[in-house]
Amino acid sequence: MFTALVEHLASRGNHAALLTDDRLISYRELADRVAASASELGSRRRLVMLEARNDVDAVVHYLGALAGGHVALPVSDGADHAAMVDLYDPDVVVRDGTVHHRHGPAHDLHPDLALLMSTSGTTGSPKLVRLSRTNLAANADAIATYLDVRPTDRAATTLPLSYCYGLSVLHSHLLRGAGLILTDHSVVEDRFWELLKRHRGTTFAGVPHTFDLLDRIGFHDMSLPHLRYVTQAGGRLAPDAVRRFASLGRSQGWRLFVMYGATEATARMAYLPPDLAHDNPTSIGVPVDGGRFELDPVDEMADGTGELVYHGPNVMMGYAQSPGDLALGRTVDALRTGDLARRTPDGLYEVVGRLSRFVKLYGLRIDLQRVEAALRTAGVDAVCTDGDGVLLVAATESLAGADVAQVAARASGLPRSAVRVLEVDEIPRLPSGKPDLRGVRALAEHTTTSDARALDLRTLVADVLHLDPATVDPRASFVDLGGNSLSYVAMSVRLERALGHLPADWPRMPLRDLEASRRDRRRWGTTLETSVALRAVAIVLVVGSHAGLYTLWGGAHVLLGIAGYNFGRFCLTPLPRAQRVRHLGSTLAWIAVPSIVWVAVALVITDDYTASNLLLANKFLGPDDSMTAGRLWFVEVVVWILVALALLCASPVADRVERRWPFACACAVLAAGLLIRFDGFGFGRDAWFTVLAFWFFAVGWAASKASAGWQRAAVTAMLAVGIVGYFGNSHRELLVFTGLALLIWLPAIRCPSALTVVAGVVAEASLLIYLVHYQVYPLFGEHRLLGVVASLLTGIALTMLLTVARKRIGPRLPGVGVTAPARR
């Protein structure tokens, strides 16, 4: 097919080739567009880097590169490929459907070379797999043969085309004249299934995580009359899942193909015939047509177990680690998989372990040695392995309070919820001194709590976040599930009561790890997060000072710092950029909407506000000479800061910078805020409550990203520089400095259980208390204490009513009630 690609496509005539939400492109039209793309790329061979999205333009340009004899380098959409561009210097870059010629042909490309692929998602490496046209054609034909792909088949693109598995679906189906349903929708979205049914889809592909999602969305109850087969690869699917889905397919009229492969084999090396899946769920099956396995003996391994070595026409030409390697011919004849395997009496192959330190999770190949090296750099003695679909990290007590799971997640490229940390006194080792990986897995199995035991935490989280408990993944964290600064107070108080303590960084811990951390609650008192305690104290100081019960100013500025602290914790998370922005938008909405509603009510029943207050823009639009002009300054500042940061977070460049240097980025923003505070940009003192107050928010942001002692000291020093002389009142400055210093240095405090509950209730209601107290306390005249108490109780009552309303309308609002993130 790849030697005469355009002719092959044209020979299929008007049969449907590509189907989208709103388009159908025939094979004849596809052939014309591929020919035009090949012509646009030029007649001389070029290295073409393409952003491989699941859309028509990406498919056309990819096929155009192959048809024109060029070398294609597909890369993931939206990621930072600057390092790849710098190293390999592609002649052409295709982005957003547009061809950018960077320069003329500048590479010596081997005549057989057709495709360069990243090694199944390996992170942090310039290594690419070199694949020939023979590799592509042989593997596409083998896959199409054992799947029995027919012209009437239509496959949904559930995987990115930058991943060898996703690309193999394209190759094998185009080879047989089948259709491709192009979509980026996840299997958890209704639109995916609507599209599959509308286009009479017959198949889709999945990695193990995809099948976890299918379990959660009720796939077993779906009516899919046209579904013929489902394929699985990208890592080991649990044996019980293989049995369940094989049985489900048998009962519903479709077949499950469990497959084994690697990018180095152009995709597939083996498949498990569907009729054998139920009784052989641990097997990888038999070699694909044209391929064969051999077992290379390994010392100290018995029962015929050895390293699995694959031979076949789909074995890669070799690796490339620099542009000079693109001129090389074949450098390997067989693929040493690094897997330990055995051959069963009935001729099936079964993988029983690994020789190397790579594992495959979430479709990514993870270098465990690289993760362990990153942990050592952070001062953590640890050993890593895989187990139960997650990365297991057995670690001794970390130095300097290092967040073991966060370090491991960043080094591996996995989401935080896919890392499970096992605290050990010392690393388990074999008599030889090598790490005992089986011992680590056994420890994980011994300490893992069942889903039934974790159900109470799932129900608790679902109640706080207004989710269906059945959709809450025990591997997900509070942040993964959409938790934010508005819901964490209620969650922290209820979690402490459930667990008997609050673990460090609990918002990012998987729920099942939280469940495993239960403690004996008989000791005195409970744990209360300092941010919650400060929030409760600060709002009481604000209300009491305004009512004239006492004079202790500065509470609102402490609240502003807490707002920044929560922004750093709950908005700048490891989630994808789009989900970050959605979470931030949701937080912004739940602050702005109640504020606007209350101002509208107050406009009707009082003379306290003006139309500019309704827009939360009094400090921008005036009037600035009314008695109540500054009443809502705190809400205005928070809302407009969040608006600005939402726009900033939406920028791919800003997103990449913050992820790479979170603490440095926060400190840079704080430094800019301090420059504004000292009028370095000439804003003038009229901006006191708006622009100049931003630096308090930035202090909280930096505090949330400070993990080491020197980092906390640096933030404290910057706080001290900014606070001195800010108010012209040393008592007020001392109060604000003390509150924010506690936020920086003291994550939690011990206090009586009753006080924890009261502080949590007051802190959760702090926004509405702030909004309503201006209208409530004046009703009590000189009875100032009654006015303060009434303001607090009114805000608490309204918060409870708002919580009930959120439970009813939350699932209907975008960004509210987000379930566990779907990663493909």
Side-chain angles (χ1 to χ4, degrees):
M1 180 182 80
F2 296 101
T3 56
L5 180 56
V6 174
E7 291 82 356
H8 169 80
L9 296 174
S11 69
R12 299 290 176 171
N14 292 323
H15 193 72
L18 307 179
L19 305 100
T20 70
D21 279 318
D22 55 5
R23 301 172 66 185
L24 187 155
I25 294 179
S26 69
Y27 268 89
R28 180 175 285 109
E29 181 183 353
L30 179 60
D32 291 340
R33 295 185 63 169
V34 169
S37 173
S39 176
E40 184 179 8
L41 291 173
S43 57
R44 294 178 59 193
R45 294 188 77 206
R46 289 171 166 83
L47 176 59
V48 181
M49 189 173 87
L50 313 97
E51 283 196 345
R53 300 177 299 182
N54 291 351
D55 62 19
V56 172
D57 285 337
V59 171
V60 166
H61 287 302
Y62 167 70
L63 296 176
L66 293 182
H70 305 291
V71 176
L73 170 55
V75 295
S76 57
D77 177 39
D80 184 1
H81 305 297
M84 189 74 74
V85 171
D86 289 343
L87 177 61
Y88 284 98
D89 189 26
D91 305 313
V92 180
V93 172
V94 181
R95 183 181 295 115
D96 296 326
T98 302
V99 177
H100 303 276
H101 287 269
R102 300 179 69 240
H103 46 63
H107 297 280
D108 184 6
L109 304 172
H110 191 276
D112 294 338
L113 184 62
L115 180 64
L116 297 168
M117 294 289 289
S118 176
T119 54
S120 296
T122 299
T123 57
S125 172
K127 182 188 290 186
L128 298 174
V129 173
R130 296 183 292 117
L131 299 172
S132 68
R133 288 171 176 76
T134 299
N135 294 152
L136 301 183
N139 207 227
D141 184 63
I143 294 170
T145 298
Y146 71 70
L147 290 180
D148 186 25
V149 178
R150 306 168 185 174
T152 53
D153 280 321
R154 290 181 174 180
T157 56
T158 47
L159 302 166
L161 296 181
S162 57
Y163 177 27
C164 72
Y165 187 6
L167 204 55
S168 72
V169 174
L170 177 74
H171 292 163
S172 58
H173 286 75
L174 290 182
L175 177 65
R176 295 296 173 88
L180 275 299
I181 303 171
L182 299 179
T183 177
D184 274 323
H185 299 313
S186 165
V187 295
V188 300
E189 299 179 62
D190 290 341
R191 291 182 65 185
F192 172 82
W193 300 106
E194 292 168 1
L195 191 65
L196 188 74
K197 292 176 182 178
R198 173 153 52 93
H199 289 313
R200 304 166 73 92
T202 61
T203 181
F204 63 89
V207 296
H209 184 57
T210 309
F211 289 81
D212 291 341
L213 298 176
L214 293 177
D215 277 335
R216 294 212 300 269
I217 64 173
F219 174 71
H220 58 283
D221 292 326
M222 289 185 182
S223 175
L224 300 168
H226 303 290
L227 189 63
R228 279 211 317 123
Y229 58 93
V230 175
T231 63
Q232 182 273 319
R236 180 177 179 269
L237 187 62
D240 64 328
V242 173
R243 290 192 185 97
R244 278 190 293 106
F245 281 96
S247 296
L248 179 64
R250 187 179 304 166
S251 66
Q252 296 189 352
W254 52 267
R255 299 183 299 165
L256 174 68
F257 284 87
V258 176
M259 308 185 300
Y260 170 81
T263 308
E264 291 85 344
T266 321
R268 301 279 74 82
M269 290 181 278
Y271 71 98
L272 182 60
D275 58 333
L276 302 179
H278 184 275
D279 296 330
N280 301 273
T282 60
S283 174
I284 62 170
V286 297
V288 302
D289 286 356
R292 64 180 176 86
F293 285 129
E294 66 180 31
L295 297 173
D296 192 8
V298 176
D299 292 343
E300 302 178 359
M301 299 300 296
D303 302 325
T305 298
E307 182 184 4
L308 191 65
V309 181
Y310 176 78
H311 300 264
N314 53 314
V315 173
M316 65 176 178
M317 299 173 66
Y319 290 112
Q321 301 194 65
S322 68
D325 295 335
L326 305 185
L328 297 177
R330 178 174 294 278
T331 58
V332 295
D333 294 320
L335 179 60
R336 304 190 70 88
T337 67
D339 285 328
L340 293 172
R342 65 184 183 91
R343 190 173 185 268
T344 64
D346 53 7
L348 302 179
Y349 287 86
E350 184 178 20
V351 173
V352 297
R354 287 288 295 170
L355 271 177
S356 71
R357 298 302 318 285
F358 286 85
V359 297
K360 209 168 190 179
L361 296 168
Y362 281 60
L364 298 177
R365 178 176 290 175
I366 311 300
D367 183 346
L368 297 181
Q369 291 180 332
R370 185 169 180 264
V371 177
E372 290 169 357
L375 288 166
R376 282 195 299 272
T377 301
V380 181
D381 185 18
V383 63
C384 301
T385 186
D386 63 323
D388 195 22
V390 298
L391 176 64
L392 298 176
V393 181
T396 58
E397 184 176 354
S398 59
L399 301 178
D403 184 341
V404 177
Q406 186 65 26
V407 173
R410 288 179 178 171
S412 64
L414 290 169
R416 169 64 179 78
S417 58
V419 179
R420 183 180 175 206
V421 178
L422 306 170
E423 295 183 5
V424 294
D425 293 329
E426 58 182 39
I427 301 299
R429 296 191 181 278
L430 299 169
S432 64
K434 296 180 179 180
D436 183 3
L437 300 183
R438 290 186 180 180
V440 172
R441 295 190 188 99
L443 177 63
E445 292 175 0
H446 178 72
T447 58
T448 297
T449 57
S450 68
D451 284 348
R453 186 179 171 210
L455 184 60
D456 56 338
L457 272 193
R458 293 169 64 185
T459 303
L460 187 156
V461 174
D463 184 59
V464 172
L465 298 180
H466 321 314
L467 304 173
D468 179 357
T471 68
V472 176
D473 186 346
R475 294 174 300 179
S477 69
F478 175 74
V479 170
D480 289 336
L481 294 167
N484 56 31
S485 60
L486 297 174
S487 50
Y488 96 96
V489 175
M491 184 65 192
S492 65
V493 173
R494 296 177 65 178
L495 188 65
E496 203 288 335
R497 292 161 67 185
L499 299 181
H501 72 129
L502 277 177
D505 199 27
W506 66 263
R508 297 185 183 180
M509 289 180 65
L511 298 186
R512 63 183 180 187
D513 287 3
L514 282 173
E515 175 62 34
S517 71
R518 287 185 186 272
R519 290 182 182 173
D520 186 348
R521 298 176 56 209
R522 291 175 293 178
R523 56 182 185 166
W524 178 86
T526 55
T527 303
L528 178 65
E529 281 201 4
T530 302
S531 62
V532 175
L534 287 173
R535 195 160 153 181
V537 171
I539 193 61
V540 172
L541 291 181
V542 168
V543 176
S545 297
H546 286 164
L549 183 62
Y550 42 72
T551 304
L552 290 170
W553 300 108
H557 291 83
V558 173
L559 287 174
L560 192 56
I562 295 171
Y565 184 75
N566 289 332
F567 168 79
R569 296 171 75 195
F570 300 111
C571 294
L572 301 182
T573 64
L575 295 176
R577 175 165 52 91
Q579 287 185 265
R580 273 187 171 188
V581 175
R582 283 198 297 270
H583 284 187
L584 184 52
S586 174
T587 300
L588 182 59
W590 287 120
I591 295 173
V593 173
S595 301
I596 293 170
V597 170
W598 181 255
V599 172
V601 172
L603 277 172
V604 174
I605 63 176
T606 73
D607 296 322
D608 291 345
Y609 300 121
T610 66
S612 63
N613 292 117
L614 194 62
L615 298 174
L616 301 181
N618 175 262
K619 284 297 176 182
F620 298 111
L621 304 178
D624 56 5
D625 58 348
S626 68
M627 290 292 293
T628 59
R631 284 188 170 185
L632 300 180
W633 75 267
F634 169 77
V635 175
E636 291 186 12
V637 169
V638 171
V639 166
W640 290 107
I641 285 175
L642 292 180
V643 168
L645 291 174
L647 296 175
L648 188 64
C649 288
S651 163
V653 174
D655 184 78
R656 288 195 297 268
V657 170
E658 194 285 328
R659 289 178 191 274
R660 186 168 184 180
W661 301 289
F663 178 71
C665 183
C667 284
V669 172
L670 174 54
L674 286 174
L675 188 60
I676 297 172
R677 173 259 184 272
F678 288 106
D679 204 17
F681 294 113
F683 283 100
R685 306 303 288 180
D686 290 339
W688 181 270
F689 286 106
T690 51
V691 179
L692 295 185
F694 168 73
W695 75 277
F696 289 97
F697 183 99
V699 166
W701 178 358
S704 72
K705 299 302 180 183
S707 56
W710 70 267
Q711 293 175 329
R712 295 188 180 94
V715 178
T716 306
M718 298 174 81
L719 169 62
V721 169
I723 200 68
V724 175
Y726 184 83
F727 300 107
N729 181 317
S730 59
H731 295 291
R732 188 175 184 181
E733 291 164 5
L734 180 61
L735 186 150
V736 176
F737 178 85
T738 301
L740 295 181
L742 288 172
L743 189 68
I744 296 168
W745 289 97
L746 187 64
I749 58 176
R750 301 290 301 177
C751 60
S753 300
L755 186 58
T756 297
V757 174
V758 172
V761 171
V762 173
E764 186 179 10
S766 58
L767 173 63
L768 288 180
I769 291 172
Y770 185 91
L771 291 172
V772 306
H773 82 281
Y774 289 111
Q775 284 73 47
V776 174
Y777 76 76
L779 300 176
F780 294 84
E782 293 299 312
H783 299 287
R784 294 183 176 88
L785 180 58
L786 288 177
V788 171
V789 172
S791 297
L792 297 175
L793 293 178
T794 302
I796 290 170
L798 291 176
T799 298
M800 292 179 176
L801 290 175
L802 183 59
T803 299
V804 173
R806 284 176 180 165
K807 288 182 179 180
R808 294 185 178 181
I809 70 174
R812 288 176 256 168
L813 293 178
V816 180
V818 181
T819 56
R823 295 178 173 89
R824 296 172 298 182

